[in-house]
Amino acid sequence: MIRHLWPLLAGFTLWALAFILLYALQYLGCYFGWAPAAHRTALVVGYVMSLAALAGALLVQLALLRRRGSAATSLDRIGIGATIAALAATAVTFGPTLLASACI
Amino acid sequence: MSTLDPAGPAAADIATLWWVMFWGALVLFALVMALLVLSFLRPAMIASIRPIHWIIGGGLIMPVPILIALLMAALLLGEQLLPKPGGVQPMRVEAHASRWQWQFSYPETPGAATTEILHLPAGEPVDIVVTAADVIHAFWVPRLGGKIDAIPGHTNVIRLQADEPGVYRGICAEYCGEGHETMGFVVEAHSPADYATAIGGAQ
């Protein structure tokens, strides 16, 4: 079942992993008292890695769609839409990690 | 106790955000109702709109700018509420929660402590250092600012300011057991001279 659904699940699974990664980085930096510049750098790197992972997933899905040609299913096309939505959601919802206060 | 009757800058920011969301929601509600009415009065006009246009217009073009605007407003207003380090640090007061009462102490006045009455100087920010002894509670004075959790083993800080002397009610805003509903307190904001007297009496 998952084998067929992965195009739909890939994008928002990566979004969820990015959420855990960025939340963990924020918490650990505050807990261990990282220097603000180092903490911000870690968050920015985590944010960029999250975007890169989603962009990579999107490229893989597009390549598979092209390779399958007429054999591509509607699930493949919907999956690409879901990954684009996940990429946009990652850019917007995690964007505040670039600027917002991390620790108080 | 109304959050829509703010008595300090933090509560005013929160009330502003609420009003922004309220008017935004009202506009959207009016738009949806107008479309509903049109579907009865001018069904041909509604039927002429293709499904893809409903999806793109109603699912992307309309909500995305609104959600981004709300996110920006919440972030900008939220940043103003944070007790950031640096600059002149305000006075600190400790609020310690236990089932089912609040105890307040005043580090700048050793020995001063109160139960269920929090004395604050009016017209200046104060950092409330919130801790808990047993279970999770939450400190909330609706007319002065937002809620903050009181968590055992963890210290949270919320910056509040009462613009004018007065009495403001506070509550525990996190269910904490059978005595939860009785776990209220009162904030008494004093003018500077009266504050010294009130704290002196609490020693």
Side-chain angles (χ1 to χ4, degrees):
Chain A
M1 186 70 168
I2 295 291
R3 191 164 57 87
H4 299 293
L5 286 179
W6 80 263
L8 272 184
L9 299 175
F12 279 98
T13 301
L14 286 171
W15 177 90
L17 291 173
F19 180 88
I20 294 167
L21 170 74
L22 291 168
Y23 213 151
L25 281 174
Q26 194 227 338
Y27 177 79
L28 291 172
C30 295
Y31 185 80
F32 290 113
W34 293 352
H39 194 188
R40 181 67 64 194
T41 303
L43 287 168
V44 170
V45 168
Y47 178 72
V48 172
M49 279 172 53
S50 304
L51 289 177
L54 272 150
L58 181 59
L59 289 175
V60 168
Q61 286 177 266
L62 287 169
L64 281 175
L65 184 76
R66 215 172 294 126
R67 195 196 306 166
R68 284 180 182 160
S70 59
T73 65
S74 58
L75 206 56
D76 292 328
R77 282 182 283 275
I78 294 168
I80 287 170
T83 303
I84 291 171
L87 182 59
T90 301
V92 172
T93 57
F94 302 145
T97 54
L98 303 176
L99 292 171
S101 297
C103 311
I104 52 172
Chain B
M1 281 265 282
S2 173
T3 54
L4 300 183
D5 182 21
D13 282 347
I14 292 168
T16 299
L17 182 60
W18 190 89
W19 283 113
V20 167
M21 294 176 77
F22 172 77
W23 289 112
L26 197 65
V27 168
L28 289 178
F29 179 72
L31 180 64
V32 171
M33 287 299 107
L35 290 170
L36 181 65
V37 169
L38 273 176
S39 71
F40 284 105
L41 299 181
R42 300 275 189 277
M45 192 181 99
I46 295 294
S48 69
I49 300 172
R50 293 169 59 200
I52 189 70
H53 292 151
W54 283 113
I55 292 170
I56 293 173
L60 287 174
I61 294 173
M62 187 181 72
V64 168
I66 291 170
L67 290 175
I68 289 177
L70 281 177
L71 177 68
M72 295 300 293
L75 279 170
L76 291 173
L77 292 171
E79 282 285 319
Q80 294 176 30
L81 304 180
L82 300 177
K84 293 177 187 171
V88 179
Q89 287 299 296
M91 193 182 91
R92 288 168 84 88
V93 172
E94 293 171 352
H96 187 64
S98 57
R99 288 179 291 181
W100 288 275
Q101 66 177 14
W102 292 94
Q103 291 174 303
F104 303 102
S105 54
Y106 307 83
E108 294 183 6
T109 311
T114 52
T115 300
E116 294 175 0
I117 297 177
L118 169 59
H119 296 289
L120 294 181
E124 64 175 271
V126 179
D127 280 354
I128 315 289
V129 181
V130 181
T131 54
D134 36 42
V135 298
I136 297 177
H137 304 268
F139 176 96
W140 190 28
V141 187
R143 293 192 63 205
L144 298 186
K147 303 169 186 174
I148 195 155
D149 279 351
I151 303 169
H154 187 76
T155 300
N156 277 332
V157 181
I158 186 169
R159 185 165 294 171
L160 298 181
Q161 176 176 322
D163 288 334
E164 301 291 339
V167 176
Y168 309 98
R169 285 182 57 203
I171 56 171
C172 175
E174 180 78 34
Y175 181 71
C176 56
E178 61 183 8
H180 167 70
E181 74 279 4
T182 65
M183 198 176 160
F185 60 98
V186 168
V187 176
E188 293 185 2
H190 308 276
S191 63
D194 291 343
Y195 177 72
T197 306
I199 289 296
Q203 278 181 298

